[in-house]
């Protein structure tokens, strides 16, 4: 929308506060409208970024440890896994197929007992896993070798058991020796070689990692494993690989993809994400109504000025452009302010959360409830564009009625008694 010189001057004049009390009040309402738009845009960007970050972080951590699909044997035993893994790698789109052993057991140390999830992995796979390697907090995964009688445990589990690298941990397996009085559980002691933190509470609080050969010995699996972990190049299209993968274990086990393994969490996140977008969009809508009300007051306050301008040759179209420009300028400045505010909050999000926790004395981000240890964030440029365009369109639409009222002002009626 191109403005002439006089239209720009008038629009600028109406944007700035006048000398009268009424004009100052209108300016105040306009600034409140601008702040409301900024807060609405910032709130949408912050919430959507945090929700996207939560989903991405959770997916990265879970997929990094559990893969995008698992081929699990019945009764926790998968015989002939080598052939299954080789055939799985031949399926189009599959990038890796790795053997795993996973079994819930009990662990004890220093007189404390905790439920744990023992995971057996090949040493080469363990050291190539970026989630594990990037999360080592103490000790070293290089110490984990077959027959070393050592394990790596999550940091929170280490805290619960009071043991750290160099300490001892005993794993209690119900698969033990048969005696005349029943089966005696096996209790095997291991040295803690390293502690790790992947950022997901359930993993850090329960995982015990050991070489696959040691896990096979502990659980008396022989050469069998519990499952084959499969990763693909396009996780969102995992259904394309599920058919061939299911056939590989037909009659011996089942194939489950990441959607089924974490269905409740990811579906809840998606529903909450949509709900939050709709609810927070109402903030922008309220701000737009503020712009509408401030423009209506401005038109009423400037009725005499509009009539004089009309008698001096100003067109109806020119008057509409002036008030549309005023309203959209307020909305645009609010959008820019919201973008800046949102960027600042997301950049300093964790210090802000820590500061609020310190001031209130409340734990706002309990990892046991929220799964992740820190507030995540991932800003989607497409979503930010949608938010900006939505706010701008609503701001523009809010200017049309006041602009039309200004353009339809009849100078004869207004100036009749002047």
């Amino acid at each position: 929308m191109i403005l002439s010189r006089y239209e720009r001057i008038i629009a600028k004049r109406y944007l700035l506060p006048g000398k009268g009390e009424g004009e100052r009040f209108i300016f105040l309402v306009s600034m409140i409208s601008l702040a409301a738009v900024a807060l609405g845009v910032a709130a949408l960007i912050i919430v959507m970024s945090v929700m996207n970050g939560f989903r991405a972080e959770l997916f990265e951590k879970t997929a990094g440890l559990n893969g995008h699909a698992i081929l699990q044997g019945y009764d926790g035993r998968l015989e002939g896994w080598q052939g299954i893994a080789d055939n799985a790698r031949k399926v189009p789109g599959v990038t890796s197929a790795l053997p795993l052993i996973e079994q819930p057991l009990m662990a004890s140390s220093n007189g404390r007992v905790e439920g744990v999830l023992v995971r057996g992995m090949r040493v080469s796979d363990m050291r190539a896993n970026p989630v594990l390697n990037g999360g080592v907090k103490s000790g070293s995964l290089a110490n984990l070798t077959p027959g070393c009688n050592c394990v790596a445990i999550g940091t929170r589990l280490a805290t619960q058991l009071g043991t750290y690298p160099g300490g001892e941990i005993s794993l209690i397996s119900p698969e033990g020796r048969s005696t005349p009085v029943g089966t005696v559980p096996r209790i095997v002691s291991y040295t803690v070689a390293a502690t790790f933190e992947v950022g997901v509470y359930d993993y850090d609080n329960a995982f015990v990692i050991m070489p696959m050969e040691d896990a096979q010995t502990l659980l008396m699996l022989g050469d069998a494993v519990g499952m084959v972990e499969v990763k693909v190049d396009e996780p969102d299209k995992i259904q394309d690989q599920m058919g061939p993968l299911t056939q590989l274990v037909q009659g011996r086990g089942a194939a489950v993809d990441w959607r089924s393994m974490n269905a409740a969490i990811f579906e809840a996140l998606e529903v909450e994400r949509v709900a939050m977008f709709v609810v927070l969009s109402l903030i922008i809508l309220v701000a737009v109504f503020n712009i509408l009300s401030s423009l209506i007051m401005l038109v009423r306050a400037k009725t005499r000025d509009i009539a004089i301008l009309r008698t001096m040759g100003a067109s109806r179209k020119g008057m509409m452009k002036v008030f549309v420009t005023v309203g959209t300028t307020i909305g645009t400045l609010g959008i820019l302010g919201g973008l800046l505010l949102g960027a600042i909050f997301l950049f300093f999000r964790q210090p802000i959360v820590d500061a609020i926790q310190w001031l209130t004395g409340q734990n706002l981000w309990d990892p046991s409830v929220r799964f992740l240890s820190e507030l995540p964030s991932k800003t989607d440029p497409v979503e930010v564009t949608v938010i900006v365009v939505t706010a701008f369109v609503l701001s523009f639409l809010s200017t049309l009625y006041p602009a039309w009222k200004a353009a339809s002002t009849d100078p004869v009626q207004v100036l009749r008694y002047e």
Side-chain angles (χ1 to χ4, degrees):
M1 185 169 57
I2 301 175
L3 300 179
S4 64
R5 184 170 179 272
Y6 89 88
E7 290 167 351
R8 287 198 300 272
I9 293 173
I10 296 171
K12 182 179 178 181
R13 171 69 182 81
Y14 288 171
L15 277 169
L16 299 176
K19 296 180 179 179
E21 192 69 29
E23 291 192 11
R24 291 197 185 97
F25 178 74
I26 294 172
F27 177 76
L28 176 61
V29 174
S30 299
M31 291 303 98
I32 293 174
S33 304
L34 188 153
V37 172
L39 288 174
V41 171
L44 265 176
I45 291 174
I46 292 168
V47 170
M48 299 308 293
S49 297
V50 169
M51 295 297 294
N52 289 337
F54 197 93
R55 183 184 187 278
E57 192 80 4
L58 194 59
F59 177 78
E60 179 184 348
K61 302 298 186 183
T62 54
L65 289 176
N66 297 324
H68 302 131
I70 58 170
L71 310 179
Q72 189 167 12
Y74 294 136
D75 298 327
R77 298 178 66 94
L78 188 62
E79 305 283 353
W81 60 267
Q82 296 91 341
I84 293 174
D86 290 339
N87 291 326
R89 295 187 193 100
K90 298 176 183 177
V91 175
V94 173
T95 58
S96 69
L98 310 176
L100 282 180
I101 296 172
E102 201 167 88
Q103 183 69 36
L105 298 177
M106 297 296 292
S108 67
S109 180
N110 300 315
R112 307 175 189 177
V113 179
E114 295 287 339
V116 298
L117 191 61
V118 173
R119 168 170 285 205
M121 303 174 65
R122 292 185 303 191
V123 172
S124 57
D125 299 337
M126 195 184 304
R127 294 174 182 172
N129 189 300
V131 175
L132 285 177
N133 274 301
V136 174
K137 294 300 180 182
S138 59
S140 174
L141 293 180
N143 297 327
L144 292 177
T145 57
C148 69
N149 211 44
C150 51
V151 297
I153 64 177
T155 53
R156 295 184 183 276
L157 178 61
T159 302
Q160 295 290 338
L161 293 176
T163 184
Y164 297 94
E168 295 290 324
I169 180 175
S170 297
L171 297 180
I172 305 169
S173 172
E175 298 290 337
R177 294 180 294 106
S178 296
T179 68
V181 294
T183 301
V184 178
R186 299 184 67 206
I187 302 177
V188 182
S189 295
Y190 295 89
T191 301
V192 177
T195 63
F196 60 87
E197 181 176 318
V198 299
V200 179
Y201 179 85
D202 288 350
Y203 296 161
D204 296 333
N205 197 49
F207 262 20
V208 175
I209 309 292
M210 64 171 58
M212 189 173 73
E213 295 82 355
D214 292 355
Q216 288 172 327
T217 301
L218 172 65
L219 300 173
M220 298 187 294
L221 292 175
D223 191 44
V225 298
M227 65 189 75
V228 172
E229 171 200 83
V230 177
K231 291 187 178 180
V232 298
D233 52 5
E234 295 187 64
D236 289 331
K237 298 181 180 178
I238 185 68
Q239 64 273 10
D240 296 338
Q241 287 83 32
M242 289 309 295
L245 292 176
T246 301
Q247 293 179 358
L248 295 178
V249 291
Q250 193 167 18
R252 290 187 287 175
V256 184
D257 63 22
W258 66 269
R259 296 178 188 273
S260 301
M261 289 187 284
N262 307 283
I265 296 176
F266 287 104
E267 286 179 9
L269 283 176
E270 191 62 28
V271 171
E272 186 175 359
R273 180 170 166 271
V274 173
M276 293 301 290
F277 183 88
V278 173
V279 171
L280 292 175
S281 295
L282 297 178
I283 298 177
I284 298 179
L285 191 59
V286 171
V288 164
F289 278 113
N290 285 338
I291 295 176
L292 174 64
S293 62
S294 65
L295 285 180
I296 290 175
M297 287 190 293
L298 182 61
V299 170
R300 291 186 64 85
K302 299 295 183 181
T303 299
R304 184 173 177 274
D305 294 356
I306 295 169
I308 293 174
L309 289 170
R310 288 294 314 282
T311 60
M312 294 175 64
S315 64
R316 292 178 181 272
K317 183 179 179 181
M319 288 294 96
M320 283 200 69
K321 288 197 292 184
V322 167
F323 285 93
V324 168
T325 300
V326 171
T328 52
T329 300
I330 295 172
T332 301
L333 292 176
I335 291 170
L336 294 176
L339 290 172
L340 180 61
L341 183 61
I344 292 173
F345 184 94
L346 290 174
F347 186 80
F348 295 103
R349 63 188 183 278
Q350 196 58 45
I352 290 174
V353 171
D354 294 339
I356 295 174
Q357 290 183 151
W358 179 78
L359 288 172
T360 61
Q362 300 294 322
N363 186 3
L364 302 179
W365 192 262
D366 185 356
S368 64
V369 176
R370 307 187 190 278
F371 299 101
L372 302 181
S373 55
E374 290 188 350
L375 181 66
S377 171
K378 182 181 180 182
T379 303
D380 185 351
V382 175
E383 285 186 348
V384 173
T385 302
V386 170
I387 292 169
V388 169
V389 170
T390 301
F392 182 81
V393 170
L394 290 175
S395 299
F396 173 76
L397 292 177
S398 71
T399 67
L400 295 182
Y401 176 73
W404 174 78
K405 289 293 290 182
S408 61
T409 299
D410 186 354
V412 175
Q413 295 294 332
V414 174
L415 301 176
R416 173 176 295 177
Y417 302 105
E418 294 292 334

